[in-house]
Amino acid sequence: MLNKIKKIKKDFFLLKINSLSELEILKKKYLGKKGILNFFFKEIKFIENSELEKKKIGFYLNSLKKDIEIYIKKYKKIFLKKKKKIKKKDYFTDFTKPGNKKDLGSRHPISIIENRIINIFNKIGFKICEGPEIENDWYNFTALNFPYNHPAREMQDTFFLKKSNKLLRTHTSSVQIRYMEKNPPPIRVISPGRVYRNEKISSNSHYLFHQIEGFYLDKKVSFKDLKNTINFFIKNFFGKSITRFRPSYFPFTEPSAELDILWNNKWLEILGCGMIDPIVLNNININSEIYSGFAFGIGIERITLMIYNLNDIRDFFENDLRFLKQFKQEF
């Protein structure tokens, strides 16, 4: 029986296979349920020789089966590669056919407005700087002159992370502190990014929104410089517009102001601004007797609602393609 199996092995590996279909026929002939090898496996139990002889024949059969399986897999790959090459050669491109339509995406309205604002401030020398969205108390509050009893430190305004002194930043002013620690004046920087506040979600408020904050620090910077910078932005972004500065309060600026713009016969608040408080400069070892500066903060969602005549801030975060496709023309 062993000699018969050896002859089958010799004959098999002398065969010439010319196609994938021939290979499949051979596979069925040798490895199928009614194939040659299965026949011998069944016949082993009827051999009258010793158990040692049976084991020897069984081992040889298993070895032959593995060799044939490897051989078939190898040639199957070869034939499949040849088939692909033939298909590529036979393929004909009809250049007169219309191209496949690709559904292009578009910039988000928030990104469109943010980029417009950045481009305007880039023209007058403001560089972009970015920082982490997870902050600590020093950069988000203390360095910016927030008193320890300030309401913004309470849970109703700020998202604090459990079992740590970390929090989600409530403004991008923290980026400015980080930048001033590493870079000496003169400094002219804007910091765009996402901020988080613990607010109820409604048509005009959200726990997540976007800001662009900026500041300018140098010798002899005055409130006049602040007004000229803000008016340059307003003129380039909104065109000729009527504006007004109202006195306000921010812990990190003194004096502070809110800027309103007359829009559709209504006064609308656009941004907050002011001269950087000397305490903030002293907190990061910048001599407030030599240097002065101003800072401002712009809420991007508010301006985007105005520009596109929208009335619900929640639309920006719904990922509704019917809403977002309206802004394709501005991509």
Side-chain angles (χ1 to χ4, degrees):
M1 188 176 183
L2 188 59
N3 290 332
K4 285 182 181 180
I5 297 169
K6 286 181 178 180
K7 187 176 184 309
I8 288 166
K9 180 178 181 180
K10 186 179 177 182
D11 292 343
F12 178 85
F13 288 105
L14 289 173
L15 290 171
K16 287 187 179 180
I17 306 164
N18 300 311
S19 66
L20 198 59
S21 58
E22 285 182 15
L23 192 68
E24 290 298 322
I25 291 167
L26 276 177
K27 183 180 178 181
K28 190 175 179 181
K29 182 179 177 181
Y30 283 87
L31 302 177
K33 285 184 179 180
K34 295 181 179 180
I36 294 169
L37 294 188
N38 268 344
F39 170 78
F40 281 106
F41 275 117
K42 289 175 184 177
E43 288 294 310
I44 289 174
K45 60 185 176 182
F46 298 114
I47 295 173
E48 294 181 354
N49 297 5
S50 66
E51 284 297 317
L52 187 63
E53 185 71 17
K54 285 183 181 180
K55 284 182 181 179
K56 189 177 179 182
I57 293 168
F59 177 81
Y60 196 88
L61 267 176
N62 280 318
S63 177
L64 176 59
K65 185 181 177 183
K66 283 182 182 178
D67 289 342
I68 291 174
E69 284 173 345
I70 292 167
Y71 181 87
I72 288 171
K73 279 183 182 178
K74 178 185 173 183
Y75 273 87
K76 190 174 182 179
K77 283 183 181 179
I78 292 168
F79 286 126
L80 286 172
K81 279 183 181 180
K82 284 182 180 178
K83 198 174 180 181
K84 283 181 182 178
K85 285 180 181 179
I86 291 165
K87 277 187 176 180
K88 283 181 181 178
K89 286 178 183 178
D90 292 343
Y91 180 74
F92 172 72
T93 303
D94 185 356
F95 293 102
T96 63
K97 281 185 177 181
N100 295 326
K101 187 180 178 183
K102 292 184 179 179
D103 190 14
L104 294 175
S106 60
R107 290 193 189 278
H108 194 281
I110 295 294
S111 298
I112 294 169
I113 297 302
E114 182 180 86
N115 289 337
R116 283 178 60 185
I117 295 170
I118 289 171
N119 289 337
I120 290 169
F121 282 107
N122 281 162
K123 289 177 183 177
I124 50 176
F126 281 84
K127 296 179 181 179
I128 294 175
C129 70
E130 295 177 322
E133 293 180 15
I134 296 177
E135 272 295 4
N136 59 37
D137 183 272
W138 168 255
Y139 290 107
N140 200 80
F141 292 129
T142 306
L144 290 162
N145 194 35
F146 278 82
Y148 282 99
N149 60 352
H150 195 280
R153 292 176 180 266
E154 299 295 330
M155 284 300 294
Q156 66 263 26
D157 288 327
T158 306
F159 289 107
F160 291 94
L161 305 185
K162 286 184 179 180
K163 297 180 182 179
S164 76
N165 63 344
K166 303 289 184 180
L167 52 92
L168 296 180
R169 66 182 181 189
T170 57
H171 45 206
T172 58
S173 301
S174 56
V175 180
Q176 299 168 16
I177 297 296
R178 288 179 175 276
Y179 192 87
M180 284 190 284
E181 280 183 340
K182 296 178 181 178
N183 299 275
I187 299 170
R188 199 188 300 250
V189 162
I190 51 172
S191 50
R194 291 177 295 192
V195 297
Y196 307 84
R197 292 182 191 173
N198 194 1
E199 297 183 8
K200 286 185 178 180
I201 297 175
S202 66
S203 60
N204 57 8
S205 66
H206 208 282
Y207 71 86
L208 159 67
F209 57 99
H210 297 74
Q211 278 188 338
I212 290 183
E213 297 198 23
F215 75 104
Y216 173 44
L217 185 64
D218 203 348
K219 295 175 182 177
K220 298 181 181 180
V221 177
S222 67
F223 201 89
K224 182 182 177 182
D225 298 313
L226 168 61
K227 288 187 73 174
N228 287 340
T229 302
I230 298 302
N231 285 330
F232 175 85
F233 162 68
I234 296 297
K235 185 178 178 182
N236 281 270
F237 191 88
F238 295 99
K240 291 183 179 179
S241 302
I242 299 173
T243 59
R244 70 180 182 187
F245 284 83
R246 287 182 292 105
S248 186
Y249 166 76
F250 302 110
F252 38 85
T253 54
E254 179 60 37
S256 305
E258 303 273 6
L259 177 80
D260 299 333
I261 183 172
L262 193 61
W263 189 263
N264 295 332
N265 296 318
K266 290 182 181 178
W267 286 106
L268 294 176
E269 180 189 325
I270 297 297
L271 56 84
C273 59
M275 301 302 294
I276 299 173
D277 195 307
I279 294 172
V280 174
L281 298 178
N282 293 333
N283 281 341
I284 45 180
N285 299 318
I286 292 176
N287 192 336
S288 59
E289 297 293 327
I290 299 173
Y291 295 102
S292 59
F294 63 76
F296 56 86
I298 304 167
I300 300 174
E301 276 82 354
R302 183 175 297 176
I303 293 180
T304 308
L305 289 171
M306 289 170 56
I307 294 298
Y308 293 113
N309 197 25
L310 304 171
N311 53 22
D312 197 327
I313 197 172
R314 291 171 293 193
D315 289 336
F316 296 137
F317 305 98
E318 294 296 328
N319 295 324
D320 189 333
L321 290 176
R322 293 168 299 177
F323 171 74
L324 296 173
K325 280 180 179 178
Q326 299 175 70
F327 307 95
K328 269 195 173 183
Q329 65 272 18
E330 300 221 29
F331 191 4

